Amino acid sequence: MPEQSANNFAGIEVAMTTMRGVLISEAGRTLDHQESKYEPESLIKSITDLAGELGKSGEIKAVGLAIPGLVNRETDRVLASTGLPFTAREHIHSELMEATGLRFELENDANAAAYGEYKAGAGRDARDIFYIGIGDAIGGAIILDGKLWTGASGCAGEIGHITIDTEGAECVCGNTGCLETIASGPNIVRRARERLNRDSTSSLSRLAMQESFTAGDLALEANNGDDFSVMMLERTGRSIGIAVASMINLLSIERIILGGAVMEAGDLILKPIIAEARKRSFQQCFEATKIVAAELGPDGVAIGAALLARDAQ
Ligand SMILES: [Zn+2]
């Protein structure tokens, strides 16, 4: 039943071609959940429609909008985004406020997810956290003493663009061999394909039978005991662990929370991450850091965005 209060907050996550929305009460209880697809040229209308759908479950006071890009929270402008349609970037915030008459809070998707975990998920009893979101891309966010720490430029926490392989593949950011070029969902699939093509023993893998597959399919096969898929997740986990070890040595942060679609592979990827991080970081720093999986699931970014909208009032 909808709560009879106007103090509800919507959170909307815009991904490459899809969006997810939630409606939460002021206390943080999820009242509704919606998903939809969108075309780049109708992004504003699709967001407005999704907010309208969520509004049927309870009156909305404000909306948190999480996007795959860097946001200046002072000016509510999108600074850079490889995932968002170009035409939508400049005035997305003002256009949405105008179209809906609602207050919108614009935020980077990893920052929103980090805030959600901090307030209502795996970081709720921690003071400082580092959140790493591994999905179509890899994002990160640092929360110190309850506040997002975004640094001098606003881009702090971009762990996906730390160099892991100096001779690696070219990254969307212009660098080569970033963590994202190894461990994001599409890059796990790319590496798996390359290996399936050149390695005769990998033809025994069930994945080799599939014409097209996703990182989610690979995780499923790994959980069904497919050796090749298990090995791909282990190798991916080791690369993530290298970056995590650097974060542990640099920040000695209380908790590192890993979320995003790739982490739905569970222990098959989390264990190699932890093992590699242990191997490569100072023992004292490692022992003071808890490395855990995110708890809010696929709606984590949207829930975090809604909580940001609530707390920004
Ligand atoms: Zn990069």
Side-chain angles (χ1 to χ4, degrees):
M1 283 294 288
E3 288 187 9
Q4 298 305 311
S5 147
N7 288 337
N8 303 312
F9 298 86
I12 296 176
E13 175 194 15
V14 177
M16 298 284 193
T17 55
T18 56
M19 51 183 84
R20 308 177 80 99
V22 295
L23 185 74
I24 65 164
S25 68
E26 186 151 38
R29 199 162 71 81
T30 301
L31 307 173
D32 192 11
H33 153 101
Q34 302 277 340
E35 283 175 56
S36 66
K37 282 191 185 296
Y38 72 93
E39 298 297 329
E41 59 276 12
S42 59
L43 178 64
I44 300 286
K45 184 177 182 306
S46 301
I47 294 170
T48 307
D49 289 349
L50 188 59
E53 279 300 312
L54 292 167
K56 289 178 184 168
S57 298
E59 197 181 334
I60 297 172
K61 197 170 181 194
V63 185
L65 183 72
I67 61 151
L70 301 173
V71 172
N72 181 331
R73 293 274 288 141
E74 302 284 304
T75 61
D76 284 314
R77 289 287 179 92
V78 181
L79 299 175
S81 172
T82 49
L84 209 60
F86 185 75
T87 46
R89 289 180 206 169
E90 182 104 14
H91 301 297
I92 187 169
H93 184 256
S94 52
E95 282 184 33
L96 284 168
M97 301 260 280
E98 205 166 293
T100 62
L102 291 167
R103 171 167 64 84
F104 266 74
E105 301 291 339
L106 196 60
E107 186 53 272
N108 166 268
D109 50 9
N111 287 357
Y115 195 74
E117 292 295 332
Y118 186 77
K119 284 284 176 180
R124 61 188 169 273
D125 55 345
R127 206 172 82 165
D128 307 319
I129 67 163
F130 193 121
Y131 173 84
I132 308 173
I134 308 171
D136 285 342
I138 298 182
I142 303 163
I143 294 182
L144 300 176
D145 253 340
K147 287 208 167 66
L148 278 164
W149 189 81
T150 55
S153 62
C155 353
E158 287 293 335
I159 191 169
H161 300 283
I162 282 180
T163 304
I164 298 295
D165 177 1
T166 52
E167 291 172 21
E170 202 170 305
C171 183
V172 289
C173 74
N175 185 23
T176 53
C178 293
L179 178 62
E180 185 167 304
T181 68
I182 298 168
S184 71
N187 279 299
I188 295 172
V189 170
R190 176 186 58 76
R191 287 170 40 239
R193 269 186 200 297
E194 286 170 4
R195 231 185 151 87
L196 284 169
N197 287 339
R198 69 165 189 263
D199 179 357
S200 62
T201 59
S202 68
S203 65
L204 297 170
S205 166
R206 282 193 289 264
L207 276 186
M209 323 283 178
Q210 297 183 33
E211 218 162 88
S212 65
F213 57 88
T214 64
D217 296 328
L218 189 141
L220 195 69
E221 291 301 342
N223 275 303
N224 287 334
D226 181 59
D227 290 342
F228 173 83
S229 304
V230 170
M231 183 267 294
M232 284 307 299
L233 287 178
E234 259 172 24
R235 293 176 69 99
T236 303
R238 291 214 295 269
S239 292
I240 300 167
I242 291 171
V244 167
S246 299
M247 289 309 104
I248 290 172
N249 280 353
L250 184 69
L251 298 172
S252 183
I253 201 154
E254 184 182 346
R255 196 163 305 177
I256 294 177
I257 301 171
L258 293 132
V262 168
M263 292 309 298
E264 280 165 35
D267 277 352
L268 286 172
I269 191 157
L270 185 61
K271 282 188 173 167
I273 292 173
I274 294 173
E276 195 70 16
R278 176 186 286 121
K279 207 165 88 184
R280 290 181 186 268
S281 57
F282 284 126
Q283 192 187 346
Q284 296 90 327
C285 296
F286 177 82
E287 282 170 3
T289 303
K290 248 173 137 176
I291 305 171
V292 296
E295 287 179 4
L296 296 181
D299 282 335
V301 173
I303 292 170
L307 291 169
L308 274 165
R310 179 194 70 182
D311 297 345
Q313 46 185 330

